[in-house]
Amino acid sequence: MCPEPTTDEPCFAAFPPAVLRPAELTSFSRGGGARTIPLVTRAVGAEVFLTGQTIFEGGAGIPLHTHNCPESVTILEGDAIVEIDGTEHHVTRFDTTYVPAGTPHRFRNASPTEPMRILWIYASVDATRTLVDTGVTARVDAEHTKPAEPHR
């Protein structure tokens, strides 16, 4: 599948160059005041990793969960409280987290009124999320099926 390491050919050339504009893409409800905008996904040809953005309304958060692959998150807007493996951290614009596979974590908006936006990157197109409270596991890209209500 990949060329010999001595060539200059990219290993994963199936994903054509693209410009993805979040303001022009559909967002999907995550529930609890969070909505996600998928960016680099299998649907556009990704074979190695997933990226997207999640916007949290004031006070919104997501439940404690784990993934089957590493995840990195960068705060693009606002302030957040991230809990990683039982320890809470205050993070703000451009702060970045790295969470290894299997490590419980969650994000919540630190502001009760202002929005918070993150950029997430999963190290696999087959990323899953397992909720700690219920043990329910689902593919991350399966969340991209219920369009969010238009943002006011």
Side-chain angles (χ1 to χ4, degrees), residues 41-101:
T41 65
R42 192 183 295 273
V44 296
E47 296 180 345
V48 181
F49 60 90
L50 298 176
T51 71
Q53 294 181 6
T54 299
I55 299 99
F56 296 75
E57 295 175 9
I62 54 178
L64 195 62
H65 61 277
T66 63
H67 299 291
N68 64 334
C69 63
E71 177 189 29
S72 182
V73 169
T74 299
I75 307 300
L76 298 178
E77 173 185 3
D79 294 295
I81 304 298
V82 59
E83 178 184 338
I84 302 172
D85 208 14
T87 302
E88 288 191 347
H89 307 270
H90 180 266
V91 288
T92 192
R93 190 171 184 208
F94 303 132
D95 289 349
T96 301
T97 64
Y98 171 80
V99 179

CSV table of all heavy atoms in Angstrom, one decimal, residues 41-101:
chain,number,residue,atom,x,y,z
A,41,THR,N,-12.3,13.7,8.0
A,41,THR,CA,-13.0,12.5,8.4
A,41,THR,C,-12.9,11.5,7.2
A,41,THR,O,-12.6,11.8,6.1
A,41,THR,CB,-14.5,12.7,8.7
A,41,THR,OG1,-15.2,13.1,7.5
A,41,THR,CG2,-14.7,13.7,9.8
A,42,ARG,N,-13.3,10.3,7.5
A,42,ARG,CA,-13.4,9.2,6.5
A,42,ARG,C,-14.3,9.7,5.4
A,42,ARG,O,-14.1,9.4,4.2
A,42,ARG,CB,-13.9,7.9,7.1
A,42,ARG,CG,-13.7,6.7,6.2
A,42,ARG,CD,-14.3,5.5,6.8
A,42,ARG,NE,-13.6,5.0,8.0
A,42,ARG,CZ,-12.6,4.3,8.1
A,42,ARG,NH1,-12.0,3.8,7.0
A,42,ARG,NH2,-12.0,3.9,9.2
A,43,ALA,N,-15.3,10.4,5.7
A,43,ALA,CA,-16.3,10.9,4.6
A,43,ALA,C,-15.7,11.8,3.6
A,43,ALA,O,-16.1,11.8,2.4
A,43,ALA,CB,-17.5,11.6,5.3
A,44,VAL,N,-14.6,12.4,3.9
A,44,VAL,CA,-13.9,13.3,2.9
A,44,VAL,C,-12.6,12.6,2.4
A,44,VAL,O,-11.8,13.2,1.7
A,44,VAL,CB,-13.6,14.7,3.4
A,44,VAL,CG1,-14.9,15.4,3.6
A,44,VAL,CG2,-12.7,14.7,4.6
A,45,GLY,N,-12.3,11.4,2.9
A,45,GLY,CA,-11.2,10.6,2.4
A,45,GLY,C,-10.1,10.4,3.4
A,45,GLY,O,-9.1,9.8,3.0
A,46,ALA,N,-10.2,10.8,4.6
A,46,ALA,CA,-9.2,10.5,5.6
A,46,ALA,C,-9.0,9.0,5.9
A,46,ALA,O,-10.0,8.3,5.9
A,46,ALA,CB,-9.5,11.2,6.9
A,47,GLU,N,-7.7,8.6,6.0
A,47,GLU,CA,-7.4,7.2,6.3
A,47,GLU,C,-6.6,7.1,7.5
A,47,GLU,O,-6.4,5.9,8.0
A,47,GLU,CB,-6.6,6.7,5.1
A,47,GLU,CG,-7.3,6.6,3.8
A,47,GLU,CD,-6.5,6.1,2.7
A,47,GLU,OE1,-5.2,6.0,2.8
A,47,GLU,OE2,-7.0,5.7,1.6
A,48,VAL,N,-6.1,8.1,8.1
A,48,VAL,CA,-5.2,8.0,9.3
A,48,VAL,C,-5.7,8.6,10.5
A,48,VAL,O,-5.6,8.0,11.6
A,48,VAL,CB,-3.8,8.7,8.9
A,48,VAL,CG1,-2.8,8.5,10.0
A,48,VAL,CG2,-3.3,8.0,7.6
A,49,PHE,N,-6.3,9.8,10.5
A,49,PHE,CA,-6.8,10.5,11.7
A,49,PHE,C,-8.1,11.2,11.4
A,49,PHE,O,-8.5,11.4,10.3
A,49,PHE,CB,-5.7,11.4,12.2
A,49,PHE,CG,-5.3,12.5,11.2
A,49,PHE,CD1,-6.0,13.7,11.2
A,49,PHE,CD2,-4.3,12.3,10.3
A,49,PHE,CE1,-5.7,14.7,10.3
A,49,PHE,CE2,-4.0,13.3,9.4
A,49,PHE,CZ,-4.6,14.5,9.4
A,50,LEU,N,-8.7,11.7,12.5
A,50,LEU,CA,-9.9,12.5,12.5
A,50,LEU,C,-9.7,13.8,13.1
A,50,LEU,O,-9.0,13.9,14.1
A,50,LEU,CB,-11.1,11.8,13.2
A,50,LEU,CG,-11.6,10.4,12.8
A,50,LEU,CD1,-12.6,9.9,13.8
A,50,LEU,CD2,-12.2,10.5,11.4
A,51,THR,N,-10.3,14.9,12.6
A,51,THR,CA,-10.3,16.2,13.2
A,51,THR,C,-11.7,16.8,13.2
A,51,THR,O,-12.5,16.5,12.3
A,51,THR,CB,-9.3,17.2,12.6
A,51,THR,OG1,-9.8,17.6,11.4
A,51,THR,CG2,-7.9,16.6,12.5
A,52,GLY,N,-11.9,17.7,14.0
A,52,GLY,CA,-13.2,18.5,14.0
A,52,GLY,C,-13.2,19.5,15.1
A,52,GLY,O,-12.2,19.6,15.9
A,53,GLN,N,-14.3,20.2,15.2
A,53,GLN,CA,-14.4,21.2,16.3
A,53,GLN,C,-15.7,20.9,17.1
A,53,GLN,O,-16.7,20.4,16.5
A,53,GLN,CB,-14.5,22.6,15.7
A,53,GLN,CG,-13.3,23.1,15.0
A,53,GLN,CD,-13.4,24.5,14.5
A,53,GLN,OE1,-14.4,25.2,14.7
A,53,GLN,NE2,-12.3,24.9,13.8
A,54,THR,N,-15.7,21.2,18.4
A,54,THR,CA,-16.9,21.1,19.2
A,54,THR,C,-17.1,22.5,19.8
A,54,THR,O,-16.1,23.0,20.4
A,54,THR,CB,-16.8,20.0,20.2
A,54,THR,OG1,-16.7,18.7,19.5
A,54,THR,CG2,-18.1,19.9,21.1
A,55,ILE,N,-18.3,23.0,19.8
A,55,ILE,CA,-18.7,24.3,20.4
A,55,ILE,C,-19.5,24.0,21.6
A,55,ILE,O,-20.5,23.2,21.5
A,55,ILE,CB,-19.4,25.2,19.4
A,55,ILE,CG1,-18.5,25.5,18.2
A,55,ILE,CG2,-19.8,26.5,20.1
A,55,ILE,CD1,-18.8,24.6,17.0
A,56,PHE,N,-19.2,24.5,22.7
A,56,PHE,CA,-19.9,24.3,24.0
A,56,PHE,C,-20.6,25.6,24.3
A,56,PHE,O,-20.0,26.7,24.4
A,56,PHE,CB,-19.0,24.0,25.1
A,56,PHE,CG,-18.2,22.7,25.0
A,56,PHE,CD1,-17.2,22.5,24.1
A,56,PHE,CD2,-18.6,21.6,25.7
A,56,PHE,CE1,-16.5,21.4,24.0
A,56,PHE,CE2,-17.9,20.4,25.6
A,56,PHE,CZ,-16.9,20.3,24.7
A,57,GLU,N,-21.9,25.6,24.5
A,57,GLU,CA,-22.6,26.7,25.0
A,57,GLU,C,-22.2,27.0,26.4
A,57,GLU,O,-21.5,26.2,27.1
A,57,GLU,CB,-24.2,26.5,25.0
A,57,GLU,CG,-24.7,26.3,23.6
A,57,GLU,CD,-26.2,25.9,23.6
A,57,GLU,OE1,-26.8,25.9,24.7
A,57,GLU,OE2,-26.7,25.6,22.5
A,58,GLY,N,-22.6,28.2,27.0
A,58,GLY,CA,-22.2,28.5,28.3
A,58,GLY,C,-22.6,27.4,29.3
A,58,GLY,O,-23.7,26.9,29.3
A,59,GLY,N,-21.7,27.0,30.1
A,59,GLY,CA,-21.9,26.0,31.1
A,59,GLY,C,-22.0,24.5,30.6
A,59,GLY,O,-22.1,23.6,31.4
A,60,ALA,N,-21.9,24.3,29.3
A,60,ALA,CA,-22.1,23.0,28.8
A,60,ALA,C,-20.8,22.1,29.0
A,60,ALA,O,-19.7,22.6,29.2
A,60,ALA,CB,-22.4,23.1,27.3
A,61,GLY,N,-21.0,20.8,29.1
A,61,GLY,CA,-19.9,19.9,29.2
A,61,GLY,C,-20.3,18.6,28.6
A,61,GLY,O,-21.5,18.3,28.2
A,62,ILE,N,-19.3,17.7,28.5
A,62,ILE,CA,-19.6,16.3,28.0
A,62,ILE,C,-19.2,15.3,29.1
A,62,ILE,O,-18.4,15.7,30.0
A,62,ILE,CB,-18.8,16.1,26.7
A,62,ILE,CG1,-17.3,16.4,26.9
A,62,ILE,CG2,-19.3,16.9,25.6
A,62,ILE,CD1,-16.5,16.1,25.6
A,63,PRO,N,-19.8,14.2,29.1
A,63,PRO,CA,-19.5,13.2,30.2
A,63,PRO,C,-18.1,12.6,30.1
A,63,PRO,O,-17.4,12.6,29.1
A,63,PRO,CB,-20.5,12.1,29.9
A,63,PRO,CG,-21.4,12.5,28.8
A,63,PRO,CD,-20.8,13.7,28.1
A,64,LEU,N,-17.7,12.1,31.2
A,64,LEU,CA,-16.4,11.4,31.4
A,64,LEU,C,-16.4,10.2,30.4
A,64,LEU,O,-17.3,9.4,30.4
A,64,LEU,CB,-16.2,11.0,32.8
A,64,LEU,CG,-14.8,10.6,33.3
A,64,LEU,CD1,-13.8,11.7,33.2
A,64,LEU,CD2,-14.9,10.1,34.7
A,65,HIS,N,-15.3,10.1,29.7
A,65,HIS,CA,-15.2,9.1,28.6
A,65,HIS,C,-13.7,8.7,28.4
A,65,HIS,O,-12.8,9.4,28.8
A,65,HIS,CB,-15.9,9.5,27.4
A,65,HIS,CG,-15.3,10.7,26.8
A,65,HIS,ND1,-15.6,12.0,27.2
A,65,HIS,CD2,-14.4,10.9,25.8
A,65,HIS,CE1,-14.9,12.9,26.5
A,65,HIS,NE2,-14.1,12.2,25.6
A,66,THR,N,-13.6,7.6,27.6
A,66,THR,CA,-12.2,7.2,27.1
A,66,THR,C,-12.3,7.0,25.6
A,66,THR,O,-13.4,6.9,25.1
A,66,THR,CB,-11.8,5.9,27.8
A,66,THR,OG1,-12.7,4.9,27.4
A,66,THR,CG2,-11.7,6.0,29.3
A,67,HIS,N,-11.2,6.9,25.0
A,67,HIS,CA,-11.1,6.6,23.6
A,67,HIS,C,-10.2,5.4,23.4
A,67,HIS,O,-9.3,5.0,24.2
A,67,HIS,CB,-10.5,7.7,22.8
A,67,HIS,CG,-11.4,9.0,22.9
A,67,HIS,ND1,-12.6,9.1,22.3
A,67,HIS,CD2,-11.2,10.1,23.5
A,67,HIS,CE1,-13.1,10.3,22.5
A,67,HIS,NE2,-12.2,10.9,23.3
A,68,ASN,N,-10.3,4.7,22.2
A,68,ASN,CA,-9.4,3.6,21.9
A,68,ASN,C,-8.1,4.0,21.2
A,68,ASN,O,-7.4,3.2,20.7
A,68,ASN,CB,-10.2,2.6,20.9
A,68,ASN,CG,-10.5,3.3,19.6
A,68,ASN,OD1,-10.7,4.5,19.5
A,68,ASN,ND2,-10.7,2.5,18.6
A,69,CYS,N,-7.9,5.3,21.1
A,69,CYS,CA,-6.7,5.9,20.5
A,69,CYS,C,-6.3,7.2,21.2
A,69,CYS,O,-7.2,7.8,21.9
A,69,CYS,CB,-6.9,6.1,19.0
A,69,CYS,SG,-8.2,7.3,18.7
A,70,PRO,N,-5.1,7.7,21.1
A,70,PRO,CA,-4.8,9.0,21.6
A,70,PRO,C,-5.6,10.1,21.0
A,70,PRO,O,-6.1,10.0,19.9
A,70,PRO,CB,-3.3,9.2,21.3
A,70,PRO,CG,-2.8,7.8,21.0
A,70,PRO,CD,-4.0,7.1,20.4
A,71,GLU,N,-5.8,11.2,21.8
A,71,GLU,CA,-6.6,12.4,21.4
A,71,GLU,C,-5.8,13.6,21.8
A,71,GLU,O,-5.3,13.7,23.0
A,71,GLU,CB,-8.0,12.4,22.0
A,71,GLU,CG,-8.7,13.7,21.6
A,71,GLU,CD,-10.1,13.8,22.4
A,71,GLU,OE1,-10.2,13.3,23.5
A,71,GLU,OE2,-11.0,14.5,21.9
A,72,SER,N,-5.8,14.6,21.0
A,72,SER,CA,-5.3,15.9,21.3
A,72,SER,C,-6.3,17.0,21.1
A,72,SER,O,-7.1,16.9,20.1
A,72,SER,CB,-4.0,16.3,20.5
A,72,SER,OG,-3.5,17.5,20.9
A,73,VAL,N,-6.5,17.9,22.1
A,73,VAL,CA,-7.5,19.0,22.0
A,73,VAL,C,-6.8,20.3,22.2
A,73,VAL,O,-6.0,20.5,23.1
A,73,VAL,CB,-8.6,18.8,23.0
A,73,VAL,CG1,-9.5,20.0,23.1
A,73,VAL,CG2,-9.4,17.5,22.7
A,74,THR,N,-7.1,21.3,21.3
A,74,THR,CA,-6.7,22.7,21.5
A,74,THR,C,-7.9,23.6,21.7
A,74,THR,O,-8.8,23.5,20.9
A,74,THR,CB,-5.9,23.1,20.2
A,74,THR,OG1,-4.7,22.3,20.1
A,74,THR,CG2,-5.4,24.6,20.4
A,75,ILE,N,-7.8,24.4,22.7
A,75,ILE,CA,-8.9,25.4,23.0
A,75,ILE,C,-8.7,26.5,21.9
A,75,ILE,O,-7.7,27.1,21.8
A,75,ILE,CB,-8.8,26.0,24.4
A,75,ILE,CG1,-8.7,24.9,25.4
A,75,ILE,CG2,-9.9,26.9,24.6
A,75,ILE,CD1,-9.9,23.9,25.5
A,76,LEU,N,-9.8,26.7,21.1
A,76,LEU,CA,-9.7,27.8,20.1
A,76,LEU,C,-10.4,29.1,20.6
A,76,LEU,O,-10.0,30.2,20.2
A,76,LEU,CB,-10.4,27.3,18.8
A,76,LEU,CG,-9.8,26.1,18.1
A,76,LEU,CD1,-10.7,25.8,16.9
A,76,LEU,CD2,-8.4,26.4,17.7
A,77,GLU,N,-11.3,28.9,21.5
A,77,GLU,CA,-12.1,30.1,22.0
A,77,GLU,C,-12.6,29.8,23.4
A,77,GLU,O,-13.0,28.7,23.7
A,77,GLU,CB,-13.3,30.3,21.0
A,77,GLU,CG,-14.2,31.4,21.5
A,77,GLU,CD,-15.4,31.5,20.5
A,77,GLU,OE1,-15.6,30.7,19.6
A,77,GLU,OE2,-16.3,32.4,20.8
A,78,GLY,N,-12.5,30.7,24.3
A,78,GLY,CA,-13.1,30.6,25.6
A,78,GLY,C,-12.1,29.9,26.6
A,78,GLY,O,-10.9,29.8,26.4
A,79,ASP,N,-12.7,29.5,27.7
A,79,ASP,CA,-12.0,28.9,28.8
A,79,ASP,C,-12.7,27.6,29.1
A,79,ASP,O,-13.9,27.5,29.1
A,79,ASP,CB,-12.0,29.8,30.1
A,79,ASP,CG,-11.2,31.0,29.8
A,79,ASP,OD1,-10.0,30.9,29.7
A,79,ASP,OD2,-11.8,32.1,29.9
A,80,ALA,N,-11.9,26.6,29.5
A,80,ALA,CA,-12.5,25.3,29.8
A,80,ALA,C,-11.9,24.7,31.1
A,80,ALA,O,-10.8,25.1,31.5
A,80,ALA,CB,-12.3,24.3,28.7
A,81,ILE,N,-12.6,23.8,31.6
A,81,ILE,CA,-12.1,22.9,32.7
A,81,ILE,C,-12.0,21.5,32.0
A,81,ILE,O,-13.0,21.0,31.5
A,81,ILE,CB,-13.0,22.8,33.9
A,81,ILE,CG1,-13.3,24.2,34.5
A,81,ILE,CG2,-12.4,21.9,35.0
A,81,ILE,CD1,-12.0,24.9,35.0
A,82,VAL,N,-10.8,20.9,32.0
A,82,VAL,CA,-10.6,19.6,31.5
A,82,VAL,C,-10.2,18.7,32.7
A,82,VAL,O,-9.4,19.1,33.5
A,82,VAL,CB,-9.6,19.5,30.4
A,82,VAL,CG1,-8.2,20.0,30.8
A,82,VAL,CG2,-9.5,18.1,29.8
A,83,GLU,N,-10.9,17.6,32.8
A,83,GLU,CA,-10.6,16.6,33.8
A,83,GLU,C,-9.9,15.5,33.0
A,83,GLU,O,-10.4,14.9,32.1
A,83,GLU,CB,-11.8,16.1,34.5
A,83,GLU,CG,-11.5,15.0,35.5
A,83,GLU,CD,-12.8,14.4,36.1
A,83,GLU,OE1,-13.8,15.0,36.1
A,83,GLU,OE2,-12.7,13.2,36.6
A,84,ILE,N,-8.6,15.2,33.4
A,84,ILE,CA,-7.9,14.1,32.8
A,84,ILE,C,-7.4,13.1,33.9
A,84,ILE,O,-6.7,13.5,34.8
A,84,ILE,CB,-6.6,14.6,32.1
A,84,ILE,CG1,-7.0,15.6,31.0
A,84,ILE,CG2,-5.8,13.4,31.5
A,84,ILE,CD1,-5.9,16.3,30.3
A,85,ASP,N,-7.9,11.9,33.9
A,85,ASP,CA,-7.6,10.9,34.9
A,85,ASP,C,-7.7,11.4,36.3
A,85,ASP,O,-6.9,11.1,37.1
A,85,ASP,CB,-6.1,10.4,34.6
A,85,ASP,CG,-5.9,9.0,35.0
A,85,ASP,OD1,-6.9,8.2,35.3
A,85,ASP,OD2,-4.8,8.6,35.1
A,86,GLY,N,-8.9,12.1,36.6
A,86,GLY,CA,-9.2,12.5,37.9
A,86,GLY,C,-8.7,13.8,38.3
A,86,GLY,O,-9.0,14.3,39.4
A,87,THR,N,-7.9,14.5,37.5
A,87,THR,CA,-7.3,15.8,37.9
A,87,THR,C,-7.9,16.9,37.0
A,87,THR,O,-7.9,16.7,35.7
A,87,THR,CB,-5.7,15.8,37.7
A,87,THR,OG1,-5.2,14.8,38.6
A,87,THR,CG2,-5.2,17.1,38.1
A,88,GLU,N,-8.4,17.9,37.6
A,88,GLU,CA,-8.9,19.0,36.8
A,88,GLU,C,-7.9,20.1,36.5
A,88,GLU,O,-7.0,20.4,37.3
A,88,GLU,CB,-10.1,19.7,37.5
A,88,GLU,CG,-11.3,18.8,37.5
A,88,GLU,CD,-12.6,19.5,38.0
A,88,GLU,OE1,-12.5,20.7,38.6
A,88,GLU,OE2,-13.7,19.0,37.8
A,89,HIS,N,-8.0,20.7,35.3
A,89,HIS,CA,-7.0,21.7,34.8
A,89,HIS,C,-7.9,22.8,34.2
A,89,HIS,O,-8.8,22.5,33.4
A,89,HIS,CB,-6.0,21.2,33.8
A,89,HIS,CG,-5.3,19.9,34.2
A,89,HIS,ND1,-4.1,20.0,34.9
A,89,HIS,CD2,-5.6,18.6,34.0
A,89,HIS,CE1,-3.7,18.7,35.1
A,89,HIS,NE2,-4.6,17.9,34.6
A,90,HIS,N,-7.5,24.1,34.5
A,90,HIS,CA,-8.1,25.2,33.8
A,90,HIS,C,-7.3,25.4,32.5
A,90,HIS,O,-6.1,25.5,32.6
A,90,HIS,CB,-8.1,26.5,34.6
A,90,HIS,CG,-8.7,27.6,33.9
A,90,HIS,ND1,-8.0,28.5,33.2
A,90,HIS,CD2,-10.0,28.0,33.8
A,90,HIS,CE1,-8.8,29.4,32.7
A,90,HIS,NE2,-10.0,29.1,33.0
A,91,VAL,N,-7.9,25.5,31.3
A,91,VAL,CA,-7.3,25.7,30.1
A,91,VAL,C,-7.9,26.8,29.4
A,91,VAL,O,-9.1,27.1,29.5
A,91,VAL,CB,-7.2,24.4,29.2
A,91,VAL,CG1,-6.2,23.4,29.8
A,91,VAL,CG2,-8.6,23.8,29.0
A,92,THR,N,-7.1,27.6,28.6
A,92,THR,CA,-7.7,28.7,27.9
A,92,THR,C,-7.1,28.7,26.4
A,92,THR,O,-6.4,27.8,26.0
A,92,THR,CB,-7.3,30.0,28.6
A,92,THR,OG1,-8.0,31.1,28.1
A,92,THR,CG2,-5.8,30.3,28.6
A,93,ARG,N,-7.5,29.7,25.7
A,93,ARG,CA,-7.2,29.8,24.2
A,93,ARG,C,-5.7,29.3,23.9
A,93,ARG,O,-4.8,29.8,24.5
A,93,ARG,CB,-7.4,31.2,23.8
A,93,ARG,CG,-7.4,31.3,22.3
A,93,ARG,CD,-7.8,32.7,21.8
A,93,ARG,NE,-7.8,32.8,20.4
A,93,ARG,CZ,-7.7,33.9,19.7
A,93,ARG,NH1,-7.4,35.0,20.3
A,93,ARG,NH2,-7.7,33.8,18.4
A,94,PHE,N,-5.7,28.4,23.0
A,94,PHE,CA,-4.5,27.8,22.4
A,94,PHE,C,-3.8,26.8,23.4
A,94,PHE,O,-2.8,26.2,23.0
A,94,PHE,CB,-3.5,28.8,21.9
A,94,PHE,CG,-4.1,29.7,20.9
A,94,PHE,CD1,-3.9,31.1,20.9
A,94,PHE,CD2,-4.8,29.2,19.8
A,94,PHE,CE1,-4.5,31.9,20.0
A,94,PHE,CE2,-5.4,30.0,18.8
A,94,PHE,CZ,-5.2,31.4,18.9
A,95,ASP,N,-4.2,26.6,24.6
A,95,ASP,CA,-3.7,25.5,25.4
A,95,ASP,C,-4.1,24.2,24.8
A,95,ASP,O,-5.2,24.1,24.2
A,95,ASP,CB,-4.3,25.6,26.9
A,95,ASP,CG,-3.8,26.7,27.7
A,95,ASP,OD1,-2.8,27.4,27.3
A,95,ASP,OD2,-4.3,27.0,28.8
A,96,THR,N,-3.3,23.2,24.9
A,96,THR,CA,-3.5,22.0,24.2
A,96,THR,C,-3.3,20.8,25.1
A,96,THR,O,-2.4,20.8,25.9
A,96,THR,CB,-2.5,21.9,23.0
A,96,THR,OG1,-2.7,22.9,22.1
A,96,THR,CG2,-2.7,20.5,22.2
A,97,THR,N,-4.2,19.8,25.0
A,97,THR,CA,-4.1,18.6,25.8
A,97,THR,C,-3.7,17.4,25.0
A,97,THR,O,-3.9,17.4,23.8
A,97,THR,CB,-5.4,18.3,26.5
A,97,THR,OG1,-6.4,18.0,25.5
A,97,THR,CG2,-5.9,19.4,27.4
A,98,TYR,N,-3.1,16.4,25.6
A,98,TYR,CA,-2.8,15.1,25.0
A,98,TYR,C,-3.3,14.1,26.0
A,98,TYR,O,-3.0,14.1,27.2
A,98,TYR,CB,-1.3,14.9,24.7
A,98,TYR,CG,-1.1,13.5,24.3
A,98,TYR,CD1,-1.3,13.1,23.0
A,98,TYR,CD2,-0.6,12.5,25.2
A,98,TYR,CE1,-1.1,11.8,22.6
A,98,TYR,CE2,-0.4,11.2,24.8
A,98,TYR,CZ,-0.6,10.9,23.5
A,98,TYR,OH,-0.4,9.6,23.1
A,99,VAL,N,-4.2,13.2,25.5
A,99,VAL,CA,-4.8,12.2,26.4
A,99,VAL,C,-4.5,10.8,25.7
A,99,VAL,O,-5.0,10.6,24.6
A,99,VAL,CB,-6.3,12.4,26.6
A,99,VAL,CG1,-6.9,11.3,27.5
A,99,VAL,CG2,-6.5,13.8,27.2
A,100,PRO,N,-3.8,10.0,26.4
A,100,PRO,CA,-3.5,8.6,25.8
A,100,PRO,C,-4.8,7.8,25.7
A,100,PRO,O,-5.8,8.0,26.5
A,100,PRO,CB,-2.5,8.0,26.8
A,100,PRO,CG,-2.0,9.1,27.6
A,100,PRO,CD,-3.0,10.2,27.6
A,101,ALA,N,-4.8,6.8,24.9
A,101,ALA,CA,-5.9,5.9,24.8
A,101,ALA,C,-6.2,5.3,26.1
A,101,ALA,O,-5.3,5.0,26.9
A,101,ALA,CB,-5.6,4.7,23.8
